[in-house]
Amino acid sequence: MPSPRFSIAGTHDSSRAIENRGEGIFIGFDTAAIERWQMRRLSMKPGLTCIWQVSGRNRVDFDNWMRLDLEYIDNWSLFLDVKLILMTFPVVIMGRGAS
């Protein structure tokens, strides 16, 4: 049975799989849908926000989304996290990039 694909916020998100495994809802990544070079993004735990979130969300294609996630991994710092959190508020409030 195919899993529906929605982000936690409710907008369509092709990388997250939501499954009911009998004991509740499991939200995770459908690793079969990504290529080998993109697997490195799974080396970090998901956070509250990301570069993709503040860079246009649904206007960013999947490959660029993966590149943005790898850029975050390569350049991670506490300052970058704080900057992304501050940049996320206006994006979410104004609904920029959501379809």
Side-chain angles (χ1 to χ4, degrees):
M1 178 166 99
S3 301
R5 298 183 195 314
F6 294 93
S7 72
I8 294 170
T11 57
H12 181 70
D13 184 342
S14 61
S15 74
R16 294 206 183 258
I18 301 175
E19 300 177 16
N20 185 348
R21 296 199 174 185
E23 298 176 359
I25 300 291
F26 171 75
I27 300 176
F29 289 97
D30 181 3
T31 56
I34 60 177
E35 297 177 28
R36 185 179 179 120
W37 68 271
Q38 300 163 339
M39 294 295 284
R40 187 165 61 98
R41 75 185 287 254
L42 302 178
S43 67
M44 290 189 77
K45 290 183 179 182
L48 296 174
T49 188
C50 60
I51 298 173
W52 165 80
Q53 178 80 19
V54 298
S55 298
R57 292 171 45 182
N58 290 340
R59 293 187 307 251
V60 177
D61 66 32
F62 188 76
D63 281 343
N64 283 327
W65 177 8
M66 296 297 103
R67 285 183 181 86
L68 290 170
D69 282 352
L70 296 177
E71 177 185 332
Y72 173 81
I73 291 169
D74 293 340
N75 298 301
W76 180 87
S77 70
L78 183 58
F79 175 75
L80 179 58
D81 279 353
V82 171
K83 179 180 169 183
L84 287 172
I85 289 169
L86 293 175
M87 291 173 69
T88 299
F89 288 116
V91 170
V92 171
I93 290 169
M94 296 182 153
R96 278 188 258 143
S99 60

XYZ file of all heavy atoms in Angstrom:
800
model
N 0.838 -1.171 0.000
C 0.000 0.000 0.000
C 0.888 1.241 0.000
O 1.723 1.410 0.874
C -0.883 -0.035 1.251
C -1.777 1.162 1.383
S -3.052 0.890 2.618
C -2.345 1.742 3.992
N 0.745 2.139 -0.995
C 1.578 3.337 -1.045
C 1.279 4.255 0.133
O 0.154 4.364 0.581
C 1.199 4.001 -2.363
C 0.160 3.185 -2.991
C -0.145 2.028 -2.114
N 2.321 4.932 0.599
C 2.176 5.860 1.717
C 1.842 7.249 1.204
O 2.390 7.679 0.205
C 3.484 5.947 2.501
O 3.843 4.703 2.990
N 0.946 7.960 1.880
C 0.737 9.366 1.504
C 1.978 10.162 1.839
O 2.736 9.797 2.721
C -0.448 9.780 2.377
C -0.453 8.829 3.504
C 0.145 7.553 2.995
N 2.211 11.248 1.122
C 3.403 12.052 1.354
C 2.991 13.492 1.648
O 2.607 14.219 0.758
C 4.312 11.980 0.135
C 4.790 10.577 -0.139
C 5.746 10.543 -1.293
N 6.026 9.277 -1.870
C 6.304 8.140 -1.277
N 6.305 8.058 0.008
N 6.576 7.043 -1.946
N 3.078 13.880 2.919
C 2.768 15.240 3.348
C 3.771 15.655 4.402
O 4.252 14.844 5.169
C 1.360 15.335 3.947
C 0.287 15.077 2.947
C -0.223 13.808 2.774
C -0.191 16.092 2.157
C -1.207 13.555 1.840
C -1.173 15.856 1.232
C -1.679 14.581 1.068
N 4.107 16.918 4.425
C 4.991 17.407 5.473
C 4.176 17.606 6.744
O 2.957 17.575 6.733
C 5.654 18.717 5.053
O 4.710 19.757 5.072
N 4.865 17.852 7.822
C 4.202 18.060 9.098
C 3.288 19.277 9.030
O 2.226 19.304 9.619
C 5.240 18.202 10.227
C 5.979 16.876 10.391
C 4.601 18.613 11.539
C 7.177 16.927 11.289
N 3.681 20.293 8.276
C 2.870 21.511 8.151
C 1.647 21.295 7.263
O 0.769 22.127 7.216
C 3.718 22.644 7.587
N 1.577 20.175 6.559
C 0.424 19.872 5.742
C 0.594 20.146 4.261
O -0.264 19.785 3.482
N 1.691 20.763 3.841
C 1.912 20.968 2.420
C 2.544 19.716 1.837
O 3.191 18.952 2.537
C 2.827 22.189 2.149
O 4.059 22.004 2.830
C 2.166 23.470 2.584
N 2.360 19.490 0.555
C 2.894 18.299 -0.109
C 4.412 18.286 -0.018
O 5.065 19.277 -0.241
C 2.454 18.279 -1.569
C 2.937 17.081 -2.305
N 2.443 15.832 -2.046
C 3.866 16.935 -3.255
C 3.066 14.960 -2.828
N 3.930 15.614 -3.576
N 4.964 17.142 0.315
C 6.405 17.014 0.515
C 6.805 15.621 0.041
O 6.493 14.637 0.681
C 6.720 17.215 1.990
C 8.209 17.191 2.294
O 8.977 16.691 1.455
O 8.580 17.662 3.363
N 7.506 15.530 -1.091
C 7.778 14.223 -1.691
C 8.858 13.424 -0.988
O 9.054 12.263 -1.305
C 8.163 14.404 -3.158
O 9.331 15.179 -3.255
N 9.563 13.987 -0.017
C 10.632 13.225 0.612
C 10.200 12.579 1.922
O 10.910 11.742 2.448
C 11.850 14.101 0.882
O 11.574 14.949 1.963
N 9.090 12.961 2.450
C 8.645 12.391 3.717
C 7.574 11.334 3.455
O 6.676 11.523 2.666
C 8.070 13.454 4.634
C 9.101 14.458 5.077
C 8.665 15.038 6.401
N 9.609 16.060 6.807
C 10.540 15.861 7.712
N 10.658 14.707 8.304
N 11.355 16.824 8.030
N 7.697 10.230 4.144
C 6.689 9.186 4.054
C 5.976 9.106 5.395
O 6.608 9.050 6.437
C 7.339 7.854 3.725
N 4.668 9.112 5.378
C 3.887 8.974 6.592
C 3.203 7.617 6.531
O 2.459 7.329 5.612
C 2.839 10.103 6.715
C 3.529 11.465 6.719
C 1.987 9.902 7.961
C 2.577 12.625 6.723
N 3.477 6.791 7.502
C 2.927 5.450 7.502
C 2.281 5.149 8.838
O 2.761 5.572 9.879
C 4.033 4.416 7.271
C 4.760 4.578 5.970
C 5.898 3.580 5.835
O 5.932 2.605 6.592
O 6.743 3.806 4.962
N 1.228 4.407 8.803
C 0.611 3.911 10.026
C 1.110 2.492 10.215
O 0.778 1.598 9.463
C -0.913 3.952 9.902
C -1.578 3.566 11.207
O -0.928 3.063 12.125
N -2.854 3.822 11.287
N 1.928 2.276 11.210
C 2.523 0.966 11.457
C 1.808 0.219 12.569
O 2.381 -0.656 13.194
C 3.997 1.115 11.786
C 4.770 1.683 10.611
C 6.201 1.415 10.755
N 6.877 1.843 9.535
C 8.138 1.653 9.319
N 8.882 1.050 10.199
N 8.684 2.071 8.201
N 0.560 0.531 12.818
C -0.206 -0.178 13.822
C -0.024 0.371 15.226
O -0.907 0.256 16.050
N 1.110 0.956 15.523
C 1.379 1.480 16.859
C 1.366 2.998 16.866
O 1.774 3.622 17.828
C 2.736 0.977 17.357
C 2.795 -0.524 17.483
C 4.178 -1.007 17.875
O 5.085 -0.177 18.035
O 4.331 -2.224 17.998
N 0.956 3.611 15.798
C 0.949 5.061 15.695
C 1.416 5.475 14.326
O 1.442 4.675 13.402
N 1.781 6.700 14.181
C 2.210 7.242 12.894
C 3.728 7.352 12.889
O 4.327 7.844 13.830
C 1.588 8.630 12.652
C 0.063 8.552 12.653
C 2.105 9.244 11.361
C -0.530 7.824 11.476
N 4.339 6.891 11.798
C 5.782 7.004 11.603
C 6.020 8.034 10.518
O 5.455 7.944 9.440
C 6.367 5.658 11.175
C 7.800 5.735 10.758
C 8.803 5.862 11.696
C 8.150 5.714 9.415
C 10.123 5.952 11.318
C 9.472 5.797 9.019
C 10.461 5.915 9.980
N 6.834 9.037 10.813
C 7.185 10.049 9.814
C 8.676 9.923 9.572
O 9.472 10.035 10.488
C 6.839 11.469 10.278
C 5.347 11.578 10.554
C 7.276 12.491 9.238
C 4.918 12.893 11.113
N 9.054 9.665 8.325
C 10.460 9.492 8.013
C 10.708 9.720 6.544
O 9.840 10.182 5.813
N 11.901 9.378 6.088
C 12.277 9.585 4.703
C 12.113 8.305 3.904
O 12.434 7.218 4.373
C 13.735 10.062 4.615
C 13.910 11.454 5.096
C 14.332 11.706 6.385
C 13.620 12.515 4.270
C 14.485 13.004 6.830
C 13.766 13.815 4.709
C 14.199 14.052 5.989
N 11.632 8.435 2.685
C 11.532 7.325 1.752
C 12.879 7.224 1.046
O 13.116 7.868 0.037
C 10.398 7.602 0.766
C 10.206 6.486 -0.237
O 10.914 5.467 -0.131
O 9.346 6.638 -1.121
N 13.812 6.420 1.598
C 15.184 6.373 1.090
C 15.272 5.762 -0.303
O 16.255 5.969 -0.996
C 16.118 5.611 2.049
O 15.593 4.304 2.263
C 16.240 6.351 3.369
N 14.260 5.030 -0.733
C 14.275 4.463 -2.080
C 14.129 5.548 -3.139
O 14.483 5.338 -4.296
C 13.166 3.424 -2.222
N 13.622 6.715 -2.750
C 13.356 7.790 -3.707
C 14.558 8.700 -3.943
O 14.501 9.567 -4.799
C 12.176 8.623 -3.226
N 15.654 8.517 -3.189
C 16.798 9.394 -3.366
C 18.010 8.629 -3.871
O 18.140 7.434 -3.645
C 17.132 10.175 -2.070
C 17.468 9.236 -0.922
C 16.001 11.093 -1.676
C 17.863 9.962 0.339
N 18.884 9.340 -4.570
C 20.074 8.726 -5.163
C 21.192 8.609 -4.131
O 21.159 9.234 -3.073
C 20.542 9.574 -6.342
C 19.516 9.634 -7.459
C 19.949 10.536 -8.590
O 21.176 10.686 -8.800
O 19.071 11.091 -9.261
N 22.207 7.829 -4.481
C 23.308 7.550 -3.554
C 23.989 8.826 -3.031
O 24.258 8.951 -1.845
C 24.318 6.634 -4.236
C 25.419 6.199 -3.328
C 26.381 5.272 -4.045
N 27.429 4.922 -3.126
C 27.686 3.693 -2.749
N 27.004 2.704 -3.227
N 28.655 3.459 -1.898
N 24.265 9.818 -3.920
C 24.952 11.034 -3.502
C 24.116 11.836 -2.513
O 24.639 12.636 -1.748
C 25.362 11.901 -4.688
C 24.235 12.541 -5.446
C 23.550 12.016 -6.497
C 23.662 13.833 -5.216
N 22.583 12.894 -6.936
C 22.640 14.019 -6.160
C 23.917 14.848 -4.295
C 21.861 15.170 -6.229
C 23.139 16.001 -4.351
C 22.128 16.151 -5.314
N 22.807 11.620 -2.514
C 21.917 12.349 -1.632
C 21.797 11.702 -0.246
O 21.289 12.327 0.675
C 20.531 12.447 -2.262
C 20.545 13.171 -3.586
C 19.304 12.920 -4.406
O 18.600 11.937 -4.207
N 19.031 13.811 -5.339
N 22.294 10.485 -0.088
C 22.171 9.770 1.179
C 22.924 10.459 2.314
O 22.583 10.295 3.478
C 22.650 8.325 1.037
C 21.789 7.463 0.129
S 20.127 7.226 0.765
C 20.461 6.042 2.051
N 23.951 11.245 1.996
C 24.734 11.919 3.024
C 23.871 12.853 3.874
O 24.149 13.076 5.043
C 25.887 12.695 2.386
C 26.845 13.278 3.394
C 28.145 13.718 2.755
N 27.992 14.742 1.757
C 28.189 16.045 1.989
N 28.540 16.459 3.180
N 28.056 16.915 1.017
N 22.779 13.336 3.296
C 21.918 14.242 4.068
C 21.263 13.535 5.239
O 20.815 14.164 6.185
C 20.877 14.891 3.174
C 19.742 13.969 2.775
C 18.801 14.632 1.803
N 17.985 15.622 2.418
C 16.690 15.461 2.674
N 16.087 14.348 2.373
N 16.010 16.426 3.233
N 21.216 12.210 5.204
C 20.637 11.458 6.310
C 21.623 11.270 7.455
O 21.287 10.657 8.468
C 20.129 10.100 5.806
C 19.089 10.163 4.683
C 18.700 8.770 4.232
C 17.872 10.961 5.120
N 22.847 11.793 7.309
C 23.855 11.661 8.359
C 23.576 12.587 9.541
O 24.179 12.441 10.592
C 25.256 11.941 7.799
O 25.378 13.299 7.415
N 22.680 13.543 9.374
C 22.316 14.455 10.461
C 20.851 14.257 10.803
O 20.039 13.948 9.937
C 22.545 15.912 10.059
C 23.999 16.273 9.929
S 24.270 18.034 9.715
C 24.039 18.633 11.370
N 20.534 14.487 12.062
C 19.137 14.425 12.487
C 18.385 15.618 11.901
O 18.944 16.712 11.786
C 19.043 14.473 14.006
C 19.549 13.228 14.674
C 19.361 13.331 16.164
C 19.852 12.063 16.828
N 19.651 12.087 18.280
N 17.123 15.419 11.529
C 16.331 16.539 11.027
C 16.192 17.627 12.089
O 16.108 17.333 13.280
C 14.968 15.921 10.712
C 15.194 14.463 10.684
C 16.390 14.174 11.533
N 16.161 18.854 11.639
C 16.024 19.970 12.567
C 14.664 20.640 12.436
O 13.762 20.125 11.773
N 14.545 21.787 13.046
C 13.297 22.545 13.000
C 13.096 23.234 11.655
O 11.971 23.439 11.217
C 13.283 23.607 14.099
C 13.312 23.093 15.524
C 13.453 24.269 16.491
C 12.056 22.312 15.825
N 14.182 23.623 11.026
C 14.114 24.341 9.756
C 15.367 24.015 8.955
O 16.202 23.232 9.398
C 13.967 25.861 9.992
O 13.712 26.500 8.740
C 15.180 26.454 10.670
N 15.489 24.590 7.780
C 16.647 24.302 6.928
C 16.795 25.404 5.887
O 15.934 26.274 5.768
C 16.485 22.951 6.251
S 15.028 22.833 5.217
N 17.883 25.353 5.149
C 18.107 26.355 4.104
C 16.993 26.286 3.064
O 16.501 27.305 2.584
C 19.496 26.161 3.454
C 20.607 26.356 4.497
C 19.689 27.134 2.289
C 22.005 26.023 3.994
N 16.546 25.094 2.740
C 15.458 24.906 1.769
C 14.203 25.652 2.213
O 13.529 26.271 1.406
C 15.181 23.407 1.620
C 13.896 23.080 0.950
C 13.668 23.088 -0.392
C 12.659 22.705 1.557
N 12.360 22.735 -0.656
C 11.727 22.496 0.543
C 12.255 22.525 2.874
C 10.421 22.110 0.797
C 10.950 22.145 3.120
C 10.059 21.940 2.091
N 13.897 25.583 3.500
C 12.683 26.208 4.036
C 12.667 27.710 3.780
O 11.627 28.277 3.501
C 12.599 25.930 5.542
C 11.420 26.545 6.236
C 10.145 25.775 6.053
O 10.171 24.612 5.704
N 9.025 26.425 6.259
N 13.821 28.346 3.862
C 13.875 29.804 3.696
C 14.290 30.202 2.278
O 14.447 31.384 1.995
C 14.809 30.458 4.743
C 14.294 30.200 6.143
C 16.243 30.001 4.588
N 14.459 29.218 1.390
C 14.906 29.496 0.020
C 13.826 29.256 -1.027
O 14.134 29.099 -2.197
C 16.119 28.624 -0.316
O 17.185 28.913 0.526
N 12.596 29.173 -0.623
C 11.531 29.058 -1.597
C 10.708 27.784 -1.528
O 9.752 27.632 -2.267
N 11.079 26.837 -0.686
C 10.344 25.594 -0.483
C 9.895 24.955 -1.794
O 10.698 24.356 -2.479
C 9.180 25.826 0.473
C 9.647 26.113 1.865
C 8.571 26.545 2.800
N 7.360 25.773 2.744
C 6.309 26.037 3.466
N 6.323 27.055 4.299
N 5.232 25.317 3.374
N 8.631 25.075 -2.153
C 8.095 24.383 -3.331
C 8.600 24.949 -4.650
O 8.377 24.355 -5.696
C 6.566 24.383 -3.302
C 6.045 23.486 -2.219
O 6.745 22.605 -1.726
N 4.813 23.701 -1.816
N 9.287 26.088 -4.626
C 9.879 26.629 -5.848
C 11.268 26.039 -6.100
O 11.867 26.285 -7.136
C 9.960 28.152 -5.766
C 8.591 28.826 -5.754
C 8.716 30.331 -5.844
N 9.607 30.867 -4.824
C 9.219 31.573 -3.784
N 7.961 31.832 -3.592
N 10.108 32.037 -2.919
N 11.801 25.265 -5.160
C 13.118 24.644 -5.282
C 12.921 23.193 -5.710
O 12.189 22.452 -5.055
C 13.882 24.709 -3.932
C 15.213 24.001 -4.027
C 14.065 26.149 -3.489
N 13.568 22.794 -6.818
C 13.401 21.404 -7.255
C 14.154 20.458 -6.313
O 14.954 20.874 -5.473
C 13.836 21.215 -8.708
C 15.325 21.426 -8.944
O 16.136 21.139 -8.044
O 15.678 21.880 -10.042
N 13.878 19.161 -6.445
C 14.387 18.167 -5.500
C 15.911 18.123 -5.447
O 16.497 18.075 -4.364
C 13.817 16.784 -5.838
C 14.144 15.747 -4.812
C 13.475 15.713 -3.601
C 15.131 14.808 -5.049
C 13.779 14.766 -2.638
C 15.445 13.844 -4.099
C 14.756 13.827 -2.887
N 16.583 18.152 -6.610
C 18.049 18.097 -6.616
C 18.659 19.306 -5.909
O 19.621 19.180 -5.145
C 18.604 17.985 -8.034
C 18.510 16.575 -8.589
O 18.333 15.629 -7.790
O 18.633 16.413 -9.808
N 18.093 20.491 -6.141
C 18.609 21.683 -5.451
C 18.312 21.621 -3.960
O 19.110 22.086 -3.146
C 18.047 22.955 -6.070
C 18.745 23.289 -7.366
O 19.924 23.025 -7.539
N 18.006 23.858 -8.296
N 17.178 21.039 -3.600
C 16.844 20.844 -2.189
C 17.919 19.977 -1.534
O 18.406 20.286 -0.451
C 15.475 20.220 -2.094
C 14.977 19.887 -0.717
C 15.542 20.210 0.488
C 13.806 19.165 -0.419
N 14.794 19.718 1.516
C 13.713 19.072 0.986
C 12.812 18.577 -1.192
C 12.669 18.408 1.618
C 11.776 17.921 -0.550
C 11.707 17.847 0.834
N 18.304 18.896 -2.207
C 19.339 18.011 -1.671
C 20.667 18.760 -1.546
O 21.378 18.620 -0.554
C 19.532 16.785 -2.565
C 18.331 15.859 -2.662
S 17.893 15.131 -1.085
C 16.476 16.110 -0.645
N 20.994 19.575 -2.560
C 22.240 20.353 -2.508
C 22.227 21.350 -1.350
O 23.242 21.560 -0.683
C 22.471 21.059 -3.835
C 22.933 20.120 -4.922
C 23.237 20.850 -6.235
N 23.650 19.907 -7.238
C 22.808 19.224 -8.022
N 21.502 19.387 -7.905
N 23.269 18.373 -8.923
N 21.085 21.978 -1.100
C 20.969 22.900 0.029
C 21.162 22.167 1.354
O 21.804 22.685 2.268
C 19.616 23.610 0.002
C 19.411 24.627 -1.115
C 17.961 25.080 -1.167
C 20.354 25.800 -0.951
N 20.610 20.957 1.471
C 20.801 20.177 2.694
C 22.266 19.805 2.883
O 22.796 19.853 3.996
C 19.938 18.918 2.679
C 18.484 19.197 3.018
O 18.161 20.333 3.418
O 17.671 18.261 2.899
N 22.950 19.453 1.793
C 24.380 19.120 1.895
C 25.202 20.368 2.226
O 26.184 20.292 2.967
C 24.863 18.464 0.608
C 24.216 17.104 0.285
C 24.715 16.579 -1.046
C 24.441 16.102 1.402
N 24.794 21.509 1.694
C 25.459 22.773 2.040
C 25.332 23.039 3.535
O 26.286 23.462 4.191
C 24.835 23.930 1.241
C 25.401 25.286 1.573
C 24.675 26.411 0.844
O 24.142 26.184 -0.249
O 24.648 27.524 1.400
N 24.145 22.783 4.091
C 23.932 22.959 5.532
C 24.869 22.039 6.327
O 25.514 22.481 7.284
C 22.479 22.669 5.896
C 22.246 22.666 7.384
C 22.082 23.858 8.082
C 22.216 21.472 8.101
C 21.891 23.863 9.450
C 22.027 21.476 9.467
C 21.861 22.663 10.136
O 21.687 22.661 11.493
N 24.958 20.779 5.926
C 25.829 19.820 6.615
C 27.279 20.295 6.570
O 27.988 20.267 7.580
C 25.684 18.417 6.010
C 24.298 17.848 6.340
C 26.780 17.479 6.506
C 23.948 16.585 5.581
N 27.722 20.737 5.406
C 29.118 21.156 5.234
C 29.455 22.440 5.990
O 30.611 22.670 6.338
C 29.443 21.353 3.751
C 29.409 20.050 2.978
O 29.520 18.978 3.599
O 29.266 20.107 1.739
N 28.452 23.286 6.224
C 28.702 24.597 6.836
C 28.024 24.776 8.186
O 27.860 25.900 8.656
C 28.227 25.706 5.879
C 28.983 25.680 4.585
O 30.198 25.807 4.573
N 28.282 25.474 3.495
N 27.647 23.678 8.831
C 26.889 23.771 10.077
C 27.636 24.569 11.138
O 28.836 24.438 11.326
C 26.581 22.382 10.636
C 25.817 22.516 11.911
C 24.459 22.625 12.037
C 26.350 22.632 13.235
N 24.127 22.795 13.350
C 25.267 22.807 14.116
C 27.638 22.624 13.756
C 25.427 22.945 15.482
C 27.795 22.772 15.131
C 26.696 22.922 15.974
N 26.873 25.421 11.824
C 27.379 26.143 12.995
C 26.169 26.578 13.813
O 25.036 26.622 13.306
C 28.198 27.367 12.587
O 27.355 28.353 12.036
N 26.392 26.892 15.053
C 25.322 27.402 15.900
C 24.783 28.707 15.317
O 23.570 28.940 15.300
C 25.821 27.604 17.331
C 24.784 28.069 18.338
C 23.612 27.098 18.413
C 25.423 28.247 19.703
N 25.686 29.550 14.810
C 25.265 30.813 14.190
C 24.324 30.559 13.010
O 23.304 31.237 12.866
C 26.481 31.621 13.733
C 26.108 32.867 12.985
C 25.617 33.986 13.646
C 26.223 32.917 11.603
C 25.258 35.134 12.960
C 25.860 34.062 10.903
C 25.377 35.167 11.584
N 24.661 29.571 12.165
C 23.802 29.251 11.020
C 22.426 28.790 11.487
O 21.402 29.193 10.926
C 24.448 28.177 10.132
C 23.640 27.722 8.915
C 23.298 28.890 7.994
C 24.386 26.640 8.158
N 22.370 27.971 12.540
C 21.077 27.525 13.067
C 20.236 28.701 13.557
O 19.041 28.796 13.251
C 21.270 26.517 14.195
C 21.547 25.114 13.689
O 21.454 24.890 12.462
O 21.840 24.244 14.524
N 20.844 29.605 14.311
C 20.118 30.775 14.816
C 19.637 31.639 13.647
O 18.486 32.090 13.622
C 21.001 31.588 15.792
C 20.350 32.917 16.149
C 21.290 30.773 17.051
N 20.503 31.845 12.677
C 20.149 32.641 11.486
C 18.957 32.010 10.753
O 18.007 32.711 10.380
C 21.363 32.727 10.561
C 21.125 33.490 9.297
C 22.407 33.504 8.466
C 22.144 34.016 7.075
N 23.349 33.970 6.241
N 18.981 30.690 10.564
C 17.886 30.007 9.868
C 16.574 30.095 10.649
O 15.505 30.290 10.056
C 18.243 28.545 9.601
C 19.269 28.313 8.504
C 19.682 26.846 8.465
C 18.740 28.753 7.156
N 16.655 29.955 11.964
C 15.439 30.072 12.782
C 14.842 31.463 12.641
O 13.627 31.616 12.444
C 15.738 29.720 14.251
C 16.000 28.217 14.382
C 14.585 30.150 15.163
C 16.552 27.787 15.716
N 15.672 32.497 12.709
C 15.181 33.868 12.567
C 14.614 34.127 11.169
O 13.629 34.858 11.023
C 16.287 34.870 12.896
C 16.742 34.876 14.365
C 17.934 35.814 14.542
C 15.601 35.247 15.290
N 15.213 33.523 10.150
C 14.728 33.691 8.773
C 13.434 32.912 8.531
O 12.665 33.253 7.634
C 15.799 33.245 7.781
C 17.010 34.146 7.743
S 18.343 33.479 6.725
C 17.616 33.627 5.085
N 13.191 31.884 9.318
C 12.020 31.026 9.117
C 10.726 31.719 9.536
O 9.692 31.535 8.884
C 12.187 29.702 9.886
O 13.346 29.033 9.379
C 10.974 28.802 9.716
N 10.751 32.513 10.592
C 9.530 33.154 11.083
C 8.781 33.923 9.996
O 7.591 33.674 9.778
C 9.812 34.046 12.291
C 10.115 33.276 13.543
C 11.355 33.373 14.135
C 9.171 32.443 14.116
C 11.647 32.666 15.288
C 9.446 31.716 15.265
C 10.692 31.833 15.852
N 9.419 34.862 9.278
C 8.667 35.582 8.247
C 8.201 34.677 7.103
O 7.124 34.887 6.545
C 9.637 36.652 7.741
C 10.919 36.462 8.439
C 10.764 35.397 9.457
N 8.989 33.659 6.778
C 8.602 32.751 5.694
C 7.326 32.009 6.058
O 6.396 31.891 5.258
C 9.749 31.757 5.385
C 9.293 30.665 4.448
C 10.951 32.494 4.816
N 7.252 31.510 7.294
C 6.084 30.758 7.732
C 4.878 31.676 7.891
O 3.773 31.350 7.439
C 6.378 30.013 9.063
C 5.128 29.408 9.644
C 7.438 28.938 8.824
N 5.070 32.827 8.496
C 3.954 33.755 8.726
C 3.363 34.237 7.405
O 2.141 34.304 7.248
C 4.416 34.943 9.597
C 4.678 34.442 11.028
C 3.380 36.059 9.598
C 5.390 35.438 11.907
N 4.211 34.530 6.421
C 3.717 35.025 5.135
C 3.371 33.898 4.165
O 2.818 34.148 3.106
C 4.740 35.965 4.523
C 4.955 37.197 5.346
S 6.142 38.258 4.516
C 5.659 39.829 5.132
N 3.732 32.662 4.520
C 3.408 31.526 3.658
C 4.186 31.491 2.358
O 3.748 30.898 1.389
N 5.355 32.120 2.330
C 6.151 32.152 1.103
C 6.635 30.760 0.735
O 7.136 30.025 1.568
C 7.357 33.072 1.261
C 7.008 34.520 1.055
C 8.242 35.376 1.027
N 8.326 36.020 2.349
C 9.442 36.251 2.992
N 10.590 35.903 2.496
N 9.409 36.828 4.167
N 6.478 30.387 -0.527
C 6.968 29.116 -1.037
C 6.016 27.955 -0.863
O 6.256 26.886 -1.395
N 4.952 28.129 -0.111
C 3.992 27.039 0.070
C 3.024 27.030 -1.104
O 2.697 28.055 -1.674
C 3.215 27.234 1.367
N 2.609 25.829 -1.473
C 1.648 25.755 -2.587
C 0.279 25.407 -2.088
O 0.058 25.029 -0.988
C 2.102 24.717 -3.598
O 2.203 23.447 -3.016
